Amino acid sequence: MTTPRWIVVGVAAVLCTVALHAQSDSARAADSTRKSGESGLRGMLERGARVMGVDQTKSAHEFDLLPDGARIRLLMAAAEATDSSSVVTIRAHLRSIARAFSRGDFKSPSIVHGRVVPGTKTMAARRGLITYRVSDLPRGGEVWIITHDSTAMAAIKRFVEFQRSDHRAGGMDSTAHQSHHPTKP
């Protein structure tokens, strides 16, 4: 017994329709994910501009992991380097967060990222075992985060890795090498 041709064509049409709808749903989901990621980044950049006082699209973050902590750099883009008021603002912001972090206050990163940033609870709890130092750079500045405590170091690593990812920023991991952080407070 053979299946009538109209049934075969009908089943094929139904299967094609189902496949097209599944493909369309998948494309819509991917588009929605992409758009929410963009709006998430856009929102973070807007909150960052309010908290830091500089246009995040005209500046760059770098998050370096070091054997005894980390270094966070915030620099004006080379094309914006003549904007001395933004450089002054960056330096003031970095000094402000170094003071806040040393007190265990991590509200600024939470505001910028719209949630509690990984590692900050432990960094706050172990604040007495972490030192923060600020250095000026020609286009901005840097904060050195220094510890000899393994628990604090693990928290700093989570903090830095999250920051790199959320800011879509660069940085290096030289945890296997000797750190060259400044010795002055």
Side-chain angles (χ1 to χ4, degrees):
M1 175 164 118
T2 61
T3 306
R5 185 169 195 178
W6 67 271
I7 292 177
V8 172
V9 170
V11 169
V14 168
L15 290 174
C16 285
T17 302
V18 168
L20 286 173
H21 280 292
Q23 191 176 31
S24 177
D25 289 345
S26 176
R28 273 195 298 277
D31 188 51
S32 174
T33 300
R34 181 185 55 77
K35 285 180 181 172
S36 73
E38 287 172 0
S39 66
L41 176 63
R42 194 171 319 124
M44 192 240 344
L45 293 174
E46 289 169 2
R47 290 187 302 273
R50 283 193 305 273
V51 169
M52 297 175 211
V54 294
D55 183 343
Q56 299 293 281
T57 63
K58 295 180 180 179
S59 61
H61 283 87
E62 294 175 10
F63 300 93
D64 299 329
L65 280 170
L66 305 170
D68 56 355
R71 176 180 54 207
I72 302 169
R73 287 184 176 184
L74 180 54
L75 306 167
M76 290 304 297
E80 307 294 329
T82 59
D83 183 358
S84 61
S85 67
S86 290
V87 171
V88 169
T89 301
I90 285 172
R91 291 174 180 164
H93 169 69
L94 294 176
R95 282 177 174 66
S96 173
I97 65 164
R99 283 190 304 273
F101 289 6
S102 69
R103 292 189 313 267
D105 176 356
F106 290 88
K107 284 183 245 163
S108 288
S110 293
I111 292 168
V112 170
H113 297 282
R115 66 185 182 119
V116 174
V117 174
T120 57
K121 287 181 181 179
T122 301
M123 290 169 72
R126 299 184 85 79
R127 66 185 171 269
L129 301 171
I130 304 171
T131 303
Y132 298 89
R133 295 192 173 117
V134 179
S135 299
D136 292 344
L137 297 171
R139 294 184 350 241
E142 58 192 4
V143 175
W144 295 83
I145 305 171
I146 305 160
T147 190
H148 299 290
D149 177 73
S150 61
T151 302
M153 184 62 207
I156 291 166
K157 182 176 182 183
R158 285 191 308 278
F159 175 79
V160 165
E161 288 172 345
F162 171 83
Q163 293 281 1
R164 272 188 203 153
S165 174
D166 218 36
H167 281 280
R168 298 179 184 157
M172 64 177 180
D173 184 348
S174 62
T175 53
H177 301 62
Q178 184 176 357
S179 178
H180 299 289
H181 52 75
T183 55
K184 63 179 181 173

